[in-house]
Amino acid sequence: MSVSAQAPLRDTEDFTLIDEWLAGDETAFGRIFEKYKQKIYKLVYRFVQNPAEAEDLLQDVFVREYEKIGTFNRSSSFYTWLYRVAVNTCLNYKQKGFKKNEMLSDNDYVFDRAQKPPGDWQALDMDLRSALEKLPDKQRATF
């Protein structure tokens, strides 16, 4: 099955969940959250580079989704709309002037270092973070 043939099925599944949610089935919201929480967490984490702040932003994104679901007009995929809500939430957060946090400690990594090849990870990590910090927020959202 081609990618284009799979997209409408995914959208149909999302639209069905949205319809159930709007009809009063609160568990449908929970299923949407479970389906997208990892993707949205990764996105917001790239903005703030801090697990605790990313968790807070993740909550904010889904609160906004809950409040704004009536504005979703189905002209795009649900994930596209949710992604935009997440990016806007992050940009608003950064505009409010959050305090820049210290670099993550070795215990805070959200990935498993054992799955990566050996090397000087601390130096690479610092170089990558430095380069990402120089990008405008909108461009940083793509990483």
Side-chain angles (χ1 to χ4, degrees), residues 16 50 68 104 108 124 138:
T16 300
N50 177 285
K68 305 277 186 189
L104 292 175
D108 289 335
L124 179 61
K138 289 182 181 180

Side-chain angles (χ1 to χ4, degrees), residues 10-79:
R10 182 186 66 240
D11 291 344
T12 301
E13 291 171 2
D14 287 347
F15 295 163
T16 300
L17 283 173
I18 292 166
D19 289 340
E20 291 171 5
W21 175 22
L22 292 173
D25 181 0
E26 291 292 325
T27 63
F29 174 77
R31 292 191 308 263
I32 291 170
F33 175 78
E34 289 300 321
K35 183 175 181 177
Y36 290 110
K37 71 179 180 182
Q38 286 291 62
K39 286 181 178 182
I40 299 301
Y41 176 84
K42 289 175 185 177
L43 170 65
V44 299
Y45 180 83
R46 287 191 301 262
F47 271 90
V48 294
Q49 300 292 306
N50 177 285
E53 285 182 276
E55 287 288 333
D56 288 345
L57 278 170
L58 178 68
Q59 272 189 351
D60 289 349
V61 167
F62 280 95
V63 166
R64 282 194 174 82
E65 174 211 4
Y66 192 91
E67 295 170 344
K68 305 277 186 189
I69 191 64
T71 66
F72 175 60
N73 63 15
R74 301 177 193 222
S75 63
S76 63
S77 75
F78 175 72
Y79 179 69

